[in-house]
Amino acid sequence: MKIAVCPGSFDPVTNGHVDIFERASSMYDRLIIAVFRNPGKNPLFNMDERVRLLKQATQHIPNVEVDSFSGLLTDFVLQKDSRIIVRGLRALSDFEYEFQRALLIKCVRPEIETVFMMTSSEYSFVSSSGIKELAQFGGDISKLVPPMLYDEITQRCRELAARKTL
Ligand code: ADP
């Protein structure tokens, strides 16, 4: 059984992420989406909320499950009986970071492979941070996030914007 892990902050999940999940899930028997704690980022949604949003956004994909972790990614991958990490790539700027990360993982755990999937052209500009920025200033994010999450994401971003102006 081929099991792949797709890790990320997913704060929040976007249509770009869902596109990667749909395509990657057709290549593996199981795809585990893993929400991780990124100490460098101050999240808009907490871990439990991000897991819940991801579950809602991937309800239509049968072989996908959502989990969270706060330790080492390599430990999580092995613990799940996987040897494959799937990451999405958008621009050259993603490449720098992803390349370093993949080599670091290879150095620590040579048995784990990182596989990259190129973004679909219609999502190449979509990022969680861009969506948060747009929604905070009242921009329309309806084409960029899963429809069932639109209200919750928009509202949270507006609450954040309101707190900032206090
Ligand atoms: P991280 O904090 O690990 O970068 P993200 O939630 O921002 O987590 O992204 C998770 C993964 O999804 C990363 O591999 C990222 O490059 C990829 N990704 C994000 N947005 C897109 C998109 N629009 N198209 C393809 N891949 C994407």
Side-chain angles (χ1 to χ4, degrees), residues 5-10 14-24 28 31 36 85-99 101-102 114-120 123-124 126-127:
V5 173
C6 193
S9 337
F10 307 115
T14 69
N15 284 343
H17 293 132
V18 175
D19 174 62
I20 295 287
F21 303 150
E22 286 170 349
R23 288 158 56 206
Y28 301 103
L31 181 73
F36 67 78
I85 296 172
V86 175
R87 297 278 294 172
L89 271 186
R90 281 159 301 188
L92 212 55
S93 48
D94 275 350
F95 181 81
E96 279 289 325
Y97 171 74
E98 297 293 343
F99 184 60
R101 233 178 107 125
T114 305
V115 173
F116 294 103
M117 291 197 76
M118 199 59 74
T119 182
S120 296
Y123 302 123
S124 61
V126 179
S127 69

Side-chain angles (χ1 to χ4, degrees), residues 33-145:
I33 301 168
V35 183
F36 67 78
R37 203 180 299 277
N38 187 335
K41 290 184 183 175
N42 189 16
L44 181 64
F45 289 95
N46 69 32
M47 293 277 269
D48 290 344
E49 289 170 329
R50 279 180 272 158
V51 167
R52 177 174 52 77
L53 296 180
L54 279 160
K55 282 185 177 163
Q56 287 174 250
T58 56
Q59 254 174 1
H60 62 294
I61 319 175
N63 58 334
V64 160
E65 56 196 84
V66 185
D67 208 336
S68 62
F69 72 101
S70 49
L72 264 185
L73 173 60
T74 47
D75 290 344
F76 179 86
V77 171
L78 296 176
Q79 200 185 309
K80 293 288 177 184
D81 276 333
S82 174
R83 301 286 179 275
I84 304 158
I85 296 172
V86 175
R87 297 278 294 172
L89 271 186
R90 281 159 301 188
L92 212 55
S93 48
D94 275 350
F95 181 81
E96 279 289 325
Y97 171 74
E98 297 293 343
F99 184 60
Q100 267 200 19
R101 233 178 107 125
L103 292 185
L104 208 57
I105 287 170
K106 200 80 197 145
C107 173
V108 182
R109 287 287 180 187
E111 67 272 41
I112 298 180
E113 286 296 341
T114 305
V115 173
F116 294 103
M117 291 197 76
M118 199 59 74
T119 182
S120 296
S121 53
E122 66 262 46
Y123 302 123
S124 61
F125 60 93
V126 179
S127 69
S128 298
S129 54
I131 279 168
K132 286 185 277 195
E133 210 171 293
L134 193 60
Q136 276 186 62
F137 291 103
D140 178 11
I141 57 165
S142 59
K143 292 195 184 76
L144 312 175
V145 295

